[in-house]
Amino acid sequence: MKQFIAFIKKEFRHIMRDNRTLLIILGMPVVEILLFGFAINMEVQDIRVAFYDPTPDAFTTGITERVKQNSYFTYRGDMHSMDDMEESMRKGELDLAVVFQQNFQENLVHSGEAAIQLLSNSSDPNRGSIAVTYATAIIAGFQQEQTELMQIPFQIQAENRMIYNPLMKSSYMFVPGIMGLVLMIICTIMTSVSIVREKERGTMEVLLASPLKQGTMIFAKTIPYMVISFIDFVIILLLSYFILGVPVNGSLLLLFLVAILYITLTLSYGLTVSTLVDKQVNAVIFSAITAMIPVLMLSGMIFPVDNMPQALQAFSAIVPARWFIEAVRKVMIQGLGITMIWKEVLIMFGMTLFLLGVTIAKTKKRLE
Amino acid sequence: MIEVKDLYKSYAKGKVNALNGITFSVEDGEVFGVIGPDGAGKSSLFRILASLLLPDSGVAVMNGHDVVKDYRKVRQIIGYMPGRFSLYQDLSVEENLTFFATLFNTSIEENYHLIKDIYQQIEPFKKRRAGALSGGMKQKLALSCALIHKPEILILDEPTTGVDPVSRKEFWDMLGRLKEQGITILVSTAYMDEASRCDRIALIREGEFIASDTPQGIIDSYSGILWSVEGDRMSAMLTALRDHSAVKTSFAFGDKIHIAVADGLQAGELKQYLAKKEFSDVRIAPIKPTVEDCFMALTNE
């Protein structure tokens, strides 16, 4: 036990004294969140909009004019039927279509209620959702003005319909994605490098010639990175919640448990990598190719898994981050409980056991 | 006691033979030196004895513990210092020592008496990072770390390589004191002049012991006549000497040339021969052989 603690202490010292590593470990989640949250999630402009107004009247014209005048929108003409509109939307000529109810003004004056349908092209979900938000805001402004003017309470119901990607699957996707990526990088690359460094610098030789058991060493190696990854996870969670406004709809405890399972899994992968290579640079390249790129490309972080070709979908099943991202999305965004993520949890648990098994089998008691 | 019998080791699937049947034994409390050039197999031998490599065949027993079967036990009783500096450069002197003490389930205080001599010299720098120490101090720290758990057998792989002459002398003085405490010491070196500090030495070449005896015994076994030659233009002279039929071997030895000559050759004759080749101010003197002379002679056989 003393050996174990001494080893952990030593490991923390290595990390604390290496400013570059420290900067990467603590700076990476912040940079990634800000990058994905602001730089990549750019402001949407030139939203191409068209209107379908079967019975034009003062109200519909008022709303139409306001949208046309708004600098974010580019007017693309009036449509004469729903079919026309769907056709041009399918061709990708429109981002947003505003459809007024028949006899809009009449309904509004008589029943105090009228409906507008906002159809957004969500094949680019980000653009689609922002277009809807802008349009809703304009309608709400118009409604408020009219209410004050006419002294009668009435309501315009803006009904959103997102077509081509109705569930908006990739919105909020990047936060779980960044969690998956950052934890993978820290756990896999840092752990494998820290073990391989001992081999490269010759300290492994001294450790091997001591009574220290291999298991103690490997276990002790993982503890500091487990702590650091958990801190990173909390940083990402706080940044997402307070700066990006991503909700935590499900159980926070369950979210933490999922994170710990994933951290253990990626640490195990780092250990596996360390048994396969002998040079630090190889450890980095190997981890980057086998861990980072699949996380970026195949985990659903950037490209939704459902949109991938069958072969890649099948391949993505062995990417640990895919299951983590799915589980986090379910718990964090959709607010689901353990019963809905048992599959992801079991898969990650199985992967962990497999990788630990490989590590144990591959760990050497000697130099060769 | 170290007992080694018929140790063979090869690398690259048998293509490179590192050890070709090594047999020797070291008594308790003895300083045994393995002396030979780089690539002779010293490190392979020591790593096998430290249970870090598996021999292809043969047996090595350290104080009754087989290095293959009882490797855990072996690792408890040995102190091993690898050929290159293998401590944590980003940890301080004190942190390194504390870490290795804990690794062996002991503490600096418990065995301070063992390392006192050595550690006192680097204690003023105990807050300094190991990477910032000089070569000599690094070796002292490495030795302290190898000693902190009171090992029964100390295995030192080229401990003085890259260390200045003063620190080298100090290092051997320390080994002498450790020997007095009953620690068996196995040490390798490429410096032949360090051989006399050992109780017994083995000369190793291409994975084989070509001689094994006390340093004096090795020297006494030298049968030839040895002269030293001094003068100007030494490298040209070396070539000239090698051309002489009565000179058996000749090699540069510091600023002199050592030659083994055939019976009956007179110093005057050789001087004349060199004078003809326009070497002036030549001094020739018979000398007693050193271990290096023996090594060269054995190598040429």
Side-chain angles (χ1 to χ4, degrees):
Chain A
M1 197 58 203
K2 259 189 177 174
Q3 289 179 330
F4 186 62
I5 290 164
F7 210 103
I8 293 177
K9 244 196 229 168
K10 167 192 92 82
E11 223 39 56
F12 266 117
R13 284 193 175 122
H14 289 321
I15 298 168
M16 293 303 174
R17 281 172 199 182
D18 187 353
N19 292 336
R20 261 180 302 170
T21 307
L22 206 59
L23 191 72
I24 292 172
I25 287 174
L26 296 176
M28 190 166 52
V30 178
V31 170
E32 303 239 324
I33 280 284
L34 297 182
L35 195 73
F36 278 87
F38 293 105
I40 296 178
N41 197 3
M42 285 176 300
E43 194 172 55
V44 174
Q45 276 177 331
D46 291 328
I47 301 163
R48 294 159 304 170
V49 65
F51 300 88
Y52 176 55
D53 188 359
T55 50
D57 54 48
F59 280 93
T60 56
T61 321
I63 292 172
T64 308
E65 283 309 313
R66 272 160 195 269
V67 175
K68 278 185 191 171
Q69 277 158 20
N70 192 293
S71 59
Y72 289 110
F73 291 93
T74 309
Y75 175 56
R76 279 300 171 92
D78 288 322
M79 297 293 160
H80 303 293
S81 70
M82 282 301 276
D83 290 343
D84 276 0
M85 198 161 54
E86 293 208 5
E87 174 67 15
S88 45
M89 194 159 263
R90 200 174 54 77
K91 284 182 185 158
E93 292 166 357
L94 285 181
D95 295 312
L96 184 74
V98 181
V99 179
F100 293 98
Q101 192 186 18
Q102 279 214 329
N103 307 323
F104 189 84
Q105 190 171 16
E106 239 180 272
N107 282 333
L108 202 59
V109 173
H110 291 128
S111 64
E113 261 184 30
I116 300 177
Q117 201 174 40
L118 299 171
L119 276 87
S120 58
N121 183 344
S122 297
S123 55
D124 180 345
N126 201 22
R127 196 174 172 84
S129 74
I130 288 174
V132 167
T133 314
Y134 288 173
T136 314
I138 291 171
I139 294 166
F142 177 81
Q143 178 187 328
Q144 201 182 357
E145 239 173 62
Q146 295 301 319
T147 314
E148 281 164 15
L149 220 69
M150 297 169 67
Q151 304 287 321
I152 328 164
F154 67 87
Q155 208 174 3
I156 300 173
Q157 286 177 341
E159 177 198 331
N160 301 334
R161 225 183 99 202
M162 294 162 201
I163 46 184
Y164 305 126
N165 187 0
L167 286 176
M168 292 288 290
K169 275 201 169 176
S170 67
S171 76
Y172 293 152
M173 186 50 116
F174 72 90
V175 166
I178 287 171
M179 288 172 175
L181 182 67
V182 168
L183 297 181
M184 192 81 190
I185 291 174
I186 290 172
C187 298
T188 306
I189 298 189
M190 301 281 173
T191 330
S192 61
V193 164
S194 89
I195 293 180
V196 174
R197 185 189 293 135
E198 303 242 11
K199 289 193 203 172
E200 202 176 304
R201 299 215 174 138
T203 45
M204 188 60 92
E205 208 173 331
V206 185
L207 293 181
L208 279 176
S210 80
L212 180 72
K213 289 207 172 80
Q214 286 307 94
T216 312
M217 188 197 96
I218 285 172
F219 194 37
K221 273 269 178 201
T222 60
I223 298 289
Y225 294 100
M226 195 173 254
V227 172
I228 289 167
S229 344
F230 196 73
I231 292 172
D232 274 346
F233 178 75
V234 172
I235 291 177
I236 297 174
L237 206 58
L238 290 175
L239 285 177
S240 317
Y241 188 79
F242 287 108
I243 296 185
L244 301 179
V246 176
V248 181
N249 291 325
S251 148
L252 201 59
L253 180 71
L254 184 59
L255 193 59
F256 280 157
L257 289 178
V258 169
I260 289 170
L261 176 60
Y262 180 67
I263 289 169
T264 315
L265 168 57
T266 48
L267 281 171
S268 314
Y269 186 58
L271 295 177
T272 312
V273 171
S274 76
T275 61
L276 301 175
V277 295
D278 280 326
K279 293 266 179 298
Q280 288 183 66
V281 57
N282 294 347
V284 172
I285 294 172
F286 193 91
S287 312
I289 291 176
T290 60
M292 243 170 85
I293 295 172
V295 173
L296 281 169
M297 300 298 174
L298 296 176
S299 66
M301 174 186 178
I302 297 177
F303 311 112
V305 174
D306 293 353
N307 294 357
M308 289 176 195
Q310 282 298 322
L312 282 183
Q313 277 195 36
F315 186 71
S316 80
I318 61 163
V319 178
R322 177 189 160 179
W323 304 107
F324 171 71
I325 290 173
E326 257 171 45
V328 168
R329 195 165 51 84
K330 283 182 180 171
V331 174
M332 194 170 158
I333 313 287
Q334 292 172 256
L336 301 174
I338 180 81
T339 48
M340 299 306 286
I341 58 164
W342 61 268
K343 185 176 113 192
E344 287 82 0
V345 168
L346 275 184
I347 289 174
M348 286 197 279
F349 193 71
M351 285 176 166
T352 309
L353 288 185
F354 173 75
L355 290 172
L356 283 178
V358 172
T359 306
I360 290 165
K362 281 267 183 188
T363 299
K364 294 166 194 159
K365 296 179 294 196
R366 297 185 172 81
L367 284 176
E368 50 169 23
Chain B
M1 175 146 175
I2 305 172
E3 287 164 287
V4 176
K5 201 164 182 315
D6 284 332
L7 226 45
Y8 283 85
K9 176 75 190 171
S10 64
Y11 296 112
K13 293 185 178 132
K15 284 189 194 125
V16 184
N17 286 324
L19 297 179
N20 281 319
I22 293 221
T23 301
F24 69 102
S25 63
V26 182
E27 296 299 319
D28 287 343
E30 197 176 23
V31 178
F32 190 90
V34 177
I35 295 170
D38 291 343
K42 301 191 295 288
S43 293
S44 298
L45 174 64
F46 280 24
R47 281 178 173 161
I48 290 174
L49 298 186
S51 80
L52 296 174
L53 290 181
L54 287 172
D56 295 344
S57 64
V59 186
V61 180
M62 312 288 278
N63 279 6
H65 308 292
D66 186 282
V67 295
V68 178
K69 275 177 280 171
D70 312 327
Y71 72 96
R72 287 218 176 279
K73 191 72 194 155
V74 168
R75 288 174 187 185
Q76 281 169 14
I77 60 157
I78 59 161
Y80 171 60
M81 190 171 146
R84 62 177 170 144
F85 182 66
S86 301
L87 299 177
Y88 297 101
Q89 313 242 4
D90 54 343
L91 297 190
S92 73
V93 168
E94 197 180 22
E95 286 163 352
N96 264 301
L97 194 58
T98 312
F99 174 69
F100 283 102
T102 319
L103 219 53
F104 284 91
N105 289 316
T106 178
S107 64
I108 300 183
E109 294 74 34
E110 204 174 320
N111 287 322
Y112 189 75
H113 62 279
L114 258 174
I115 58 161
K116 196 176 142 206
D117 256 6
I118 309 155
Y119 189 56
Q120 266 177 351
Q121 301 178 37
I122 47 173
E123 219 167 0
F125 312 102
K126 67 180 181 184
K127 297 282 175 218
R128 191 181 287 188
R129 292 193 187 174
L133 293 176
S134 71
M137 286 203 282
K138 276 182 183 165
Q139 292 310 84
K140 281 169 196 158
L141 175 59
L143 184 61
S144 302
C145 289
L147 272 174
I148 190 65
H149 60 292
K150 205 171 187 293
E152 295 167 20
I153 298 173
L154 203 51
I155 302 175
L156 311 171
D157 192 3
E158 301 206 20
T160 54
T161 300
V163 176
D164 66 274
V166 177
S167 298
R168 271 169 61 190
K169 187 183 171 302
E170 280 176 1
F171 196 87
W172 280 97
D173 291 343
M174 283 180 246
L175 294 190
R177 286 193 289 276
L178 291 172
K179 168 191 151 70
E180 281 162 25
Q181 306 197 33
I183 297 176
T184 308
I185 300 174
L186 187 64
V187 58
S188 75
T189 179
Y191 299 117
M192 306 277 173
D193 57 328
E194 291 179 342
S196 59
R197 309 294 301 256
C198 305
D199 294 325
R200 279 193 306 137
I201 56 172
L203 302 180
I204 186 170
R205 189 181 58 124
E206 288 168 14
E208 281 175 77
F209 279 1
I210 48 178
S212 177
D213 204 339
T214 61
Q216 197 53 50
I218 297 253
I219 289 167
D220 290 345
S221 70
Y222 189 87
S223 51
I225 303 162
L226 196 68
W227 290 351
S228 100
V229 185
E230 261 182 289
D232 299 329
R233 298 197 288 129
M234 297 291 283
S235 61
M237 196 193 289
L238 190 63
T239 321
L241 285 168
R242 279 183 180 156
D243 289 341
H244 195 282
S245 58
V247 175
K248 286 196 241 166
T249 66
S250 63
F251 61 95
F253 196 102
D255 54 354
K256 299 184 177 85
I257 295 171
H258 284 193
I259 54 173
V261 295
D263 262 346
L265 182 70
Q266 298 297 313
E269 265 176 68
L270 191 63
K271 235 179 201 172
Q272 269 179 358
Y273 166 80
L274 288 173
K276 252 189 244 166
K277 298 208 168 220
E278 293 172 358
F279 290 99
S280 55
D281 196 21
V282 175
R283 277 152 288 151
I284 296 174
I287 49 161
K288 280 187 183 154
T290 64
V291 172
E292 189 163 4
D293 295 311
C294 302
F295 186 84
M296 297 311 281
L298 289 164
T299 307
N300 277 326
E301 266 170 17

